[in-house]
Amino acid sequence: MKVNGLNNTSLKQRNRGLILKLIATDEASSRIELTRKTGLSKMGISNIVNELINDGIIEEKEKVQVDGQGRNPVQLCISDKAPKLIGVHIYRERCSIILCDIQLKVLKKIEFPLNEQNISKLIPEIEKGVSNILSEFSHEKIFGIGIGAIGPVNNNQGRILTPPNFYGIHDLNIRDEIRKKYDMPVYFEGESNCAAMAEKYYGSGKNCEDFIYIDLANGIGTGVIANGKLYTNTSGLVCELGHTSINWQGNICGCGNKGCIETYVSSNVLQRQMQELTGEKKSFYEFCREMDNALIRKKETGAEFGESEKAIDTIFVDMVQKLTCAITSFVNGLNPQKIIIGHEGYWIPDIYLEMLERQVNAMHIAKNYREIQIVKSYYESEATTAGCACSLLTAIFEGKLF
């Protein structure tokens, strides 16, 4: 394996990226803090900060003091003129194209549905959306394009492999197809990895070095942060909690195996079970809200569950049991500090995630030495979309693009 050394230029670029990351993620907001965090000299910090200011990427502002005494300190922050990022999120039911800033604030969003009728137009529609954003924001500098896609994927090749139930799409080299069209850097990652990075930079995993992001929707995706960085290896393949089997003689999965956890507890499966038991044609979101309201009434008035709520509660409790089995296996292998539940899993009433946390902590092998937190995504149900530009953002923070 080739190991690249660091010459003076690449070392400087890495330091620029590091300083930008510390400022963007609010880990440091002054030159003094940057010196302390990085171990670089005051002169080295000043040189890089001044370059970033001159490039229009960061700026200095006076921070208003609460007590109103003395000179207002100067705070470093991201400039409104800083280059922006384009993100593309390819999911089973839809594709989203966004323009966002370095701190993942979405400035523009274009969406179109995906189905059997229009899947052949996926790349032209993506190019149309990207071109519309470039035209509308022609006054903005753009770092590049980040793509996050439904898995399984090969990150090294920029390729969508064979996602189950994805209209026959397979072996699509989406990264190179988009590169052909635009004269700018294009990066690619699995959607759950993108969400995990977004949570690490700005979300529920910001102050956590080891966590698992679980994307519970029409399938179950996973992104793993280990030692503060996205877990990857030489294969280019990503972690797949959804295809962890909890029953070797169980349900047949679209991947060809039996008993995969996503055949039992993905949102579409839970929705179908709830519809069958209640006789109500509601969405998974609506069932979650109904249960939230029932739990509030029970807490405030002592009102018992109705028949519909009893049925929903039974399904959620069963979901917890099955998720506990799969998650405990992952926890035993990875030993995270925290698990973050996102996408449609964000809608699950808190009481069931609290139940899941208790059961995982009662079962994992290091339970007497390590307590695992289970929390919801900072980005609510939009972590994968918000994070789709994060493969590009990571390259920026590593100093590869400027």
Side-chain angles (χ1 to χ4, degrees):
M1 181 177 68
K2 182 180 179 181
V3 179
N4 294 321
L6 291 174
N7 56 36
N8 288 339
T9 299
S10 57
L11 183 59
K12 180 180 178 181
Q13 289 173 330
R14 189 183 69 174
N15 288 338
R16 279 168 60 92
L18 173 61
I19 288 170
L20 178 58
K21 176 186 174 183
L22 291 172
I23 295 170
T25 58
D26 294 326
E27 294 179 65
S29 60
S30 70
R31 297 172 192 242
I32 293 174
E33 287 180 334
L34 287 169
T35 301
R36 187 171 66 249
K37 285 269 187 179
T38 64
L40 297 173
S41 67
K42 292 181 180 179
M43 180 176 292
I45 291 293
S46 288
N47 288 340
I48 293 175
V49 166
N50 290 338
E51 288 176 2
L52 292 174
I53 291 173
N54 292 335
D55 290 342
I57 298 175
I58 66 172
E59 61 184 2
E60 291 182 303
K61 291 182 178 180
E62 285 192 348
K63 185 177 180 181
V64 178
Q65 289 182 311
V66 176
D67 57 16
Q69 296 179 359
R71 183 179 176 182
N72 288 346
V74 174
Q75 175 176 285
L76 298 169
C77 57
I78 301 299
S79 171
D80 292 337
K81 298 177 182 179
K84 305 303 188 287
L85 296 75
I86 292 176
V88 178
H89 178 215
I90 302 169
Y91 185 59
R92 190 171 278 110
E93 286 90 18
R94 70 179 187 276
C95 181
S96 305
I97 300 103
I98 66 170
L99 179 75
C100 63
D101 63 18
I102 291 173
Q103 294 172 311
L104 301 184
K105 177 183 177 182
V106 176
L107 307 174
K108 176 75 174 184
K109 184 178 182 180
I110 298 172
E111 284 191 332
F112 59 89
L114 291 179
N115 49 53
E116 291 181 354
Q117 285 70 45
N118 71 353
I119 195 66
S120 62
K121 300 179 181 178
L122 174 61
I123 292 176
E125 286 295 323
I126 290 173
E127 292 175 346
K128 178 181 175 182
V130 171
S131 295
N132 285 344
I133 286 177
L134 291 174
S135 176
E136 182 177 347
F137 294 88
S138 58
H139 58 286
E140 295 281 6
K141 295 179 181 178
I142 307 293
F143 271 121
I145 300 171
I147 304 172
I150 185 173
V153 301
N154 187 307
N155 292 325
N156 295 343
Q157 299 172 358
R159 188 183 297 272
I160 299 173
L161 299 179
T162 54
N165 308 313
F166 195 43
Y167 319 114
I169 287 290
H170 63 89
D171 298 305
L172 177 63
N173 196 327
I174 186 71
R175 183 184 62 197
D176 287 355
E177 290 293 330
I178 300 301
R179 277 179 178 170
K180 292 176 185 176
K181 178 75 174 181
Y182 301 101
D183 183 24
M184 63 177 68
V186 179
Y187 286 79
F188 176 86
E189 264 292 352
E191 61 169 353
S192 298
N193 279 357
C194 291
M197 288 189 286
E199 296 289 352
K200 175 57 185 168
Y201 292 140
Y202 301 114
S204 297
K206 186 174 180 180
N207 298 315
C208 183
E209 296 303 297
D210 303 285
F211 67 84
I212 301 170
Y213 171 83
I214 296 178
D215 185 290
L216 195 156
N218 187 3
I220 300 178
T222 320
V224 176
I225 300 294
N227 292 322
K229 296 183 178 181
L230 182 69
Y231 169 76
T232 58
N233 62 29
T234 56
S235 71
L237 304 176
V238 300
C239 294
E240 294 284 359
L241 173 65
H243 298 284
T244 297
S245 177
I246 61 171
N247 182 356
W248 66 279
Q249 292 182 315
N251 297 340
I252 298 293
C253 180
C255 73
N257 291 330
K258 293 182 179 180
C260 293
I261 183 65
E262 70 176 41
T263 68
Y264 295 96
V265 300
S266 53
S267 60
N268 59 321
V269 172
L270 296 173
Q271 174 183 295
R272 184 171 63 250
Q273 291 173 347
M274 291 173 185
Q275 288 177 344
E276 290 172 353
L277 280 186
T278 65
E280 300 172 346
K281 297 299 181 182
K282 294 179 179 180
S283 67
F284 181 66
Y285 172 80
E286 290 171 327
F287 280 120
C288 289
R289 294 288 70 80
E290 178 182 335
M291 201 63 203
D292 263 331
N293 292 333
L295 288 163
I296 291 171
R297 289 195 304 272
K298 187 174 183 179
K299 183 177 180 180
E300 292 179 348
T301 68
E304 295 298 319
F305 288 156
E307 291 304 312
S308 178
E309 288 88 13
K310 287 180 181 178
I312 299 170
D313 176 67
T314 298
I315 292 168
F316 273 132
V317 170
D318 182 67
M319 173 205 73
V320 169
Q321 300 294 333
K322 290 181 169 65
L323 268 179
T324 298
C325 180
I327 289 175
T328 299
S329 295
F330 251 55
V331 165
N332 285 341
L334 296 168
N335 296 302
Q337 299 164 276
K338 183 182 290 188
I339 293 168
I340 300 173
I341 307 289
H343 210 154
E344 295 177 38
Y346 178 85
W347 302 330
I348 296 171
D350 291 346
I351 189 173
Y352 300 107
L353 295 187
E354 292 166 2
M355 187 186 303
L356 178 64
E357 181 181 88
R358 289 195 300 272
Q359 292 193 13
V360 169
N361 279 303
M363 292 182 65
H364 74 90
I365 193 68
K367 55 183 175 290
N368 294 328
Y369 307 95
R370 190 173 185 86
E371 184 172 344
I372 313 297
Q373 283 184 288
I374 297 182
V375 301
K376 289 186 175 182
S377 167
Y378 170 82
Y379 291 97
E380 301 185 358
S381 61
E382 294 295 319
T384 45
T385 301
C388 60
C390 273
S391 55
L392 173 67
L393 184 60
T394 296
I396 294 168
F397 286 163
E398 291 175 351
K400 294 178 180 177
L401 298 183
F402 65 103

